[in-house]
Structures are given as C-alpha cells and as structure tokens.
Amino acid sequence: MHKVLLVEDDKIDQMAFERFVKQNKLNYDYVIAGSVKEAIEILGNNSFDIVISDYNLGDGNAFDVFVYIKDTPIILITGAGNEDVAVTAMKQGSYDYIIKDHNRNYLRLLPHIVNNAIKHHKAES
C-alpha cells in the first residue's frame, strides 16, 4: 500500500484521480489537499511515500509546499507547464514533471511513475 498525498485544488481533477485509483484498483492509501495551507497542515501530521502536486494552487503554488516535504519523492503535475517551471521543479527535488492534458490521460502515467519514484527513493535511502 502506497501512502499518497495529492495536492490539487481543482475538484474535477480530484474526482478524476479518485475514480482512476478505484477503477484501476491501485493500492493507494491517499489523502487529498485542496490548497497549500491544507497540504502544509496534512504534512505536519502525516508521512507519505510520495506527494503528487499540481503546480498552480489557489493560495500559492507547489513550490510553497515543497519546503515542507521531507525525504519524500515529489511528482509535479501542471496544466500550464513551461520550461522554467520544469527546471525549477527538478532543481528543487521533484522526481518527475507531468503536463496535464484535457482528457486526463496523464493519470495513466502515474502508477508507473509512482512505483519508480518510490523504488528509486528506497534504493537511495
């Protein structure tokens, strides 16, 4: 069972993630934070195997959350990606950077990337 924190302020994307996890019977014990503030509160009281965060959040961006993530792989997802954000994400320790598409096909990439990120993190620990 992977403990996953999804930081996503878009309700439709939250529901799509939940539906994808259930339909694919992914072994995820997940929590969803809808804002930077909520993510910080959750991170203060819980530990996770991985954090998946949208870049643009209503009360800030993913980099505001990154500073509170200790020794946990991060996957950054964004609908408005650009090279500067991608480079900054990688420099700040993001394991991967995924561009969202309107059909939410990016969700199909997540299980593979999540597994690889967790394996990579465990191998380095």
Side-chain angles (χ1 to χ4, degrees):
M1 177 81 60
H2 295 313
K3 288 190 69 180
V4 177
L5 173 61
L6 175 68
V7 185
E8 174 61 71
D9 65 332
D10 185 292
K11 295 288 186 194
I12 302 293
D13 285 333
Q14 290 175 3
M15 291 186 309
F17 176 83
E18 290 181 300
R19 184 173 45 252
F20 183 80
V21 168
K22 288 176 186 164
Q23 286 176 344
N24 291 279
K25 299 181 175 108
L26 298 176
N27 203 15
Y28 293 179
D29 176 17
Y30 63 89
V31 175
I32 298 176
S35 66
V36 169
K37 181 181 177 189
E38 189 176 352
I40 292 167
E41 289 173 13
I42 291 168
L43 287 163
N45 298 316
N46 301 278
S47 63
F48 295 92
D49 296 319
I50 194 152
V51 175
I52 303 167
S53 181
D54 186 23
Y55 174 68
N56 286 314
L57 301 164
D59 58 344
N61 66 47
F63 301 138
D64 298 325
V65 178
F66 276 30
V67 297
Y68 294 91
I69 301 170
K70 307 291 186 238
D71 197 36
T72 303
I74 305 164
I75 298 170
L76 184 69
I77 55 176
T78 184
N82 66 52
E83 290 177 11
D84 292 334
V85 172
V87 168
T88 302
M90 299 316 263
K91 284 183 178 178
Q92 289 195 18
S94 184
Y95 179 81
D96 210 336
Y97 177 86
I98 301 172
I99 304 289
K100 291 181 186 180
D101 58 287
H102 292 305
N103 294 325
R104 293 180 181 80
N105 290 320
Y106 73 93
L107 290 170
R108 292 188 292 174
L109 300 171
L110 281 180
H112 179 71
I113 295 170
V114 165
N115 286 336
N116 285 345
I118 292 171
K119 283 180 191 176
H120 183 263
H121 179 71
K122 286 181 180 178
E124 286 189 342
S125 298

